[in-house]
Amino acid sequence: MLNMPKRERTNDADSDADWKGPAAKRICLCVQLERLGGRQLTDFPLEIMESIFGYARCANNLMLVNNRLKCQYIAYMLHRQRSFKHSNRNQPLITAVMKVLHHATNYAVQGGYEAHYIYNLQALLDRTCASTSIQTMNTHLRKFICHFYASLEMPLGSVLKFIRPAVDSAAAVQHRRILLTMSLLNMLKQFRFFRILSSEMKLMQWQLKVEVKGIFLVILEQFKWNASKENLSKNIQIIALIAELLLHDMLEKKFACIKNIGKFTLKYGMNNNMGTRLILRFSVVASTPIIRLLQQAIAGEIDLAVPIEMTSDMTFCARLELTKKLHKAWANSNFVLHLAKSH
């Protein structure tokens, strides 16, 4: 009889002790066997693996065991996502949520962060299954986008609150900022009343000016955020708010919301008033291949199969100014985000 090591009690919410369901003992046994050099967990038939993934409360942590198991879990979760979309194809709200999710994350997923996306996906699908209103869907969508983009700065599966960001090369950091900028451009072009006002090169900068009618994003005072890691979360939250606006635009539902981000209070929403419009001015300093990549993103012509080549000597700076245009009798408001800075 195989002598199994004694398990220590733990209060860690992600530990094996918290897994529930009929397959719990089998999961623990398989993991322990693998640690002892016995039969590999990945040697089990696909049906058993799917059962393990389905019953495990924290199945996404199995991605951390080895690369083969990670690949199997990614395939399982992608299949589950497709099944979820198909089974809810007649529900406009869920269909719209999944479309916005795709537009907000696809560039990052295709850019090498598929595992981070999958690691966060199970919780989103579970919460979405229990949701019945657009208000709760908004919350789930916004939180997922914030958690996903924040997790890109960390090792897979790390607890963001307790583990410091990994020390990455400048090229890796800039690569993520490019993906974030591309995702924002991709979401903007999905709005019904989106249009490009101008696109030109000025003083070695690519300057892009776009507008989206019928939406607004207001802050009570003008401010600036820089692209340091301390303020990156604020930029990500703005991206998540744009995703929330896109969801309502797809459903053609008016709404208004007030949200605190740090010490600032923002008001945003959609009112279908064509006199209200959000104008976004991008100023980008980058190498010619990167500018061409962003231009393809806003035109919807980018080939995601071609990897983004980044070198340490590449410069990428992206400044975004948002201006809310209201009725002529009302005052306009604007604020600035630095999506990326050169190092």
Side-chain angles (χ1 to χ4, degrees):
M1 181 177 178
L2 182 63
N3 293 323
M4 305 300 293
K6 294 182 179 179
R7 292 175 51 83
E8 296 182 357
R9 294 187 178 273
T10 176
N11 293 323
D12 186 356
D14 290 338
S15 67
D16 293 347
D18 285 329
W19 291 348
K20 297 180 179 179
K25 291 184 179 180
R26 176 167 38 187
I27 298 169
C28 297
L29 176 62
C30 292
V31 173
Q32 290 170 342
L33 284 174
E34 185 162 27
R35 290 171 181 167
L36 292 173
R39 185 179 182 185
Q40 296 293 310
L41 182 58
T42 51
D43 289 339
F44 284 94
L46 181 59
E47 295 78 8
I48 294 179
M49 294 303 301
E50 291 180 351
S51 177
I52 292 174
F53 293 149
Y55 279 111
R57 181 181 176 184
C58 301
N60 50 7
N61 281 345
L62 293 176
M63 296 175 67
L64 308 178
V65 175
N66 59 43
N67 286 331
R68 185 178 175 188
L69 191 56
K70 179 172 71 173
C71 292
Q72 289 183 336
Y73 184 72
I74 288 175
Y76 164 78
M77 285 303 300
L78 290 176
H79 174 72
R80 183 181 169 190
Q81 179 179 251
R82 288 191 297 269
S83 299
F84 177 79
K85 291 166 64 175
H86 180 75
S87 62
N88 291 282
R89 63 189 180 281
N90 295 324
Q91 299 189 40
L93 176 56
I94 294 181
T95 299
V97 168
M98 299 309 292
K99 285 183 179 179
V100 174
L101 183 66
H102 173 78
H103 295 311
T105 62
N106 194 41
Y107 285 147
V109 170
Q110 298 295 328
Y113 293 98
E114 183 182 47
H116 287 75
Y117 173 82
I118 294 299
Y119 192 88
N120 290 278
L121 183 60
Q122 180 178 357
L124 176 68
L125 293 181
D126 291 342
R127 292 176 186 137
T128 303
C129 289
S131 300
T132 58
S133 68
I134 189 171
Q135 288 80 10
T136 54
M137 288 291 194
N138 271 338
T139 301
H140 299 330
L141 179 63
R142 185 175 64 244
K143 285 184 176 180
F144 178 89
I145 292 174
C146 289
H147 291 166
F148 169 65
Y149 278 105
S151 74
L152 304 192
E153 307 297 317
M154 307 287 178
L156 180 65
S158 65
V159 180
L160 303 185
K161 188 183 299 184
F162 302 113
I163 296 182
R164 293 184 178 181
V167 179
D168 284 336
S169 65
V173 173
Q174 293 289 59
H175 179 252
R176 291 195 294 270
R177 303 300 173 264
I178 291 172
L179 293 174
L180 188 67
T181 305
M182 289 169 56
S183 299
L184 175 57
L185 293 173
N186 188 42
M187 281 195 293
L188 290 172
K189 69 185 294 293
Q190 308 304 323
F191 281 88
R192 291 174 297 151
F193 303 111
F194 164 84
R195 68 171 178 146
I196 298 175
L197 300 179
S198 63
S199 175
E200 55 187 342
M201 295 294 298
K202 281 187 178 181
L203 301 176
M204 306 300 291
Q205 290 185 356
W206 176 50
Q207 297 188 357
L208 172 69
K209 183 179 179 181
V210 304
E211 74 168 10
V212 181
K213 290 185 177 181
I215 68 171
F216 57 92
L217 179 59
V218 186
I219 192 164
L220 300 181
E221 60 178 313
Q222 185 173 349
F223 71 104
K224 291 184 178 182
W225 286 339
N226 59 46
S228 66
K229 288 188 176 180
E230 290 77 14
N231 291 302
L232 175 62
S233 62
K234 298 182 179 65
N235 291 348
I236 291 173
Q237 289 188 65
I238 292 294
I239 303 295
L241 296 188
I242 296 294
E244 189 176 348
L245 288 166
L246 178 57
L247 175 62
H248 283 81
D249 185 74
M250 285 185 174
L251 297 170
E252 300 183 31
K253 290 185 177 293
K254 296 189 295 183
F255 88 110
C257 186
I258 295 178
K259 180 176 177 58
N260 292 323
I261 297 181
K263 62 181 180 179
F264 302 103
T265 301
L266 292 90
K267 182 177 181 180
Y268 61 101
M270 188 181 82
N271 58 18
N272 289 331
N273 182 348
M274 293 299 100
T276 299
R277 55 191 175 129
L278 185 64
I279 296 178
L280 302 97
R281 295 179 177 87
F282 293 84
S283 299
V284 178
V285 177
S287 60
T288 300
I290 298 302
I291 290 179
R292 187 180 302 116
L293 188 70
L294 297 175
Q295 291 171 338
Q296 291 172 339
I298 197 66
E301 300 172 349
I302 191 169
D303 184 3
L304 295 175
V306 179
I308 302 174
E309 297 292 340
M310 291 293 299
T311 60
S312 58
D313 60 341
M314 278 188 174
T315 299
F316 176 63
C317 301
R319 177 183 183 274
L320 170 60
E321 180 180 351
L322 297 94
T323 303
K324 180 198 65 173
K325 293 287 186 179
L326 296 171
H327 189 274
K328 292 182 179 179
W330 299 356
N332 298 326
S333 65
N334 68 297
F335 60 95
V336 174
L337 300 176
H338 289 282
L339 297 175
K341 284 186 176 181
S342 60
H343 293 269

